[in-house]
Amino acid sequence: MANQRKNEDKQKYYIPMEVKKDTIITPEYENAPRQWSKIGNRMVRTILIPATKEQYGAYMQPEWKEDKRQQRLAEKRKKREKAQEEHRGDKSVQGWDTPVSYEQLAEMEYGFTDEYGEDSPEEIVVKEEFINDLHQALSLLQGVNRQIVDLILDGYSEAAIGKKVGRSQKTVNNRKKKIYEFLRNHLKDYRNY
């Protein structure tokens, strides 16, 4: 037991720092060896920075949580895919993250289809205008709000987004609500479609 504690005390901890073109590296780490490390779900070039056990745990805990969340999502997807294979036509098996085509959405009455199951020319124009207005609304977002939207679209959790933009999860949640409200107001003319 005492030997195990001594081994733990002697164990060194390192925090991986991603190295990019614009990464500022202090003189003491300029010659540090670069290596591939996993940060979150990505393999990136890093420099290993020595740290205490507490610093290492504090730094890695959000990464571990995000990794666990991604593992759970992957397991749910596998279960859902298996259930879909067994119940091919059962739409109730699909979840929020199940990829669907526009045709599938139209079948579930989420699309703009006419009685023949096809878009009318007017509806095609409305869709194109909607997409253009959505792009315009998104282009009005700047700074942290734009970063938050980009990270949401990349599938990051609020906690991971907060870490990337230097804000708390609660702040990210509040900003996300304001962004969605802004988009709803900007696109309110399309609510009847």
Side-chain angles (χ1 to χ4, degrees):
M1 186 80 167
N3 287 337
Q4 186 178 7
R5 282 191 193 150
K6 286 180 185 177
N7 288 340
E8 285 179 11
D9 292 339
K10 289 181 182 178
Q11 184 177 0
K12 295 184 179 181
Y13 294 91
Y14 297 95
I15 295 175
M17 181 179 81
E18 185 174 0
V19 178
K20 299 179 184 177
K21 289 179 188 177
D22 57 346
T23 302
I24 298 172
I25 301 173
T26 59
E28 65 209 61
Y29 295 109
E30 281 180 356
N31 297 324
R34 272 77 168 158
Q35 67 181 44
W36 288 99
S37 299
K38 186 174 182 182
I39 297 181
N41 292 323
R42 301 176 304 132
M43 288 297 286
V44 294
R45 294 288 289 167
T46 62
I47 295 175
L48 296 180
I49 308 295
T52 65
K53 183 177 181 179
E54 292 77 22
Q55 290 169 332
Y56 178 78
Y59 176 82
M60 294 302 291
Q61 188 174 13
E63 298 293 338
W64 293 328
K65 283 183 180 180
E66 180 63 19
D67 194 40
K68 193 67 172 173
R69 189 182 75 82
Q70 292 295 334
Q71 288 174 5
R72 287 188 195 119
L73 280 175
E75 288 173 12
K76 285 181 182 179
R77 283 189 197 106
K78 285 179 186 175
K79 286 180 184 177
R80 190 168 19 266
E81 287 169 4
K82 185 177 178 183
Q84 285 173 341
E85 288 175 11
E86 293 171 0
H87 312 330
R88 291 249 176 230
D90 187 2
K91 305 264 191 285
S92 64
V93 179
Q94 292 183 339
W96 65 268
D97 62 340
T98 303
V100 294
S101 67
Y102 177 75
E103 289 77 21
Q104 289 171 315
L105 288 173
E107 288 173 10
M108 294 187 287
E109 299 178 6
Y110 289 112
F112 301 97
T113 56
D114 63 11
E115 60 193 80
Y116 302 107
E118 297 179 4
D119 294 339
S120 69
E122 180 182 307
E123 290 166 335
I124 291 171
V125 169
V126 169
K127 277 190 231 174
E128 288 176 359
E129 288 175 355
F130 173 78
I131 290 170
N132 288 336
D133 286 348
L134 177 60
H135 283 285
Q136 181 184 10
L138 290 172
S139 70
L140 296 173
L141 297 173
Q142 296 178 355
V144 175
N145 288 343
R146 182 62 193 190
Q147 285 179 296
I148 289 172
V149 169
D150 290 341
L151 292 168
I152 289 170
L153 294 174
D154 288 341
Y156 284 87
S157 68
E158 286 180 359
I161 292 170
K163 185 175 178 189
K164 287 204 174 277
V165 300
R167 302 285 200 284
S168 70
Q169 180 179 353
K170 180 75 173 165
T171 302
V172 170
N173 181 276
N174 288 337
R175 281 184 178 256
K176 189 169 81 168
K177 287 177 185 174
K178 288 178 183 176
I179 292 167
Y180 287 163
E181 186 62 33
F182 166 76
L183 292 174
R184 270 193 293 276
N185 288 336
H186 193 79
L187 302 169
K188 64 184 172 207
D189 295 339
Y190 295 96
R191 287 189 181 164
N192 297 330
Y193 296 98

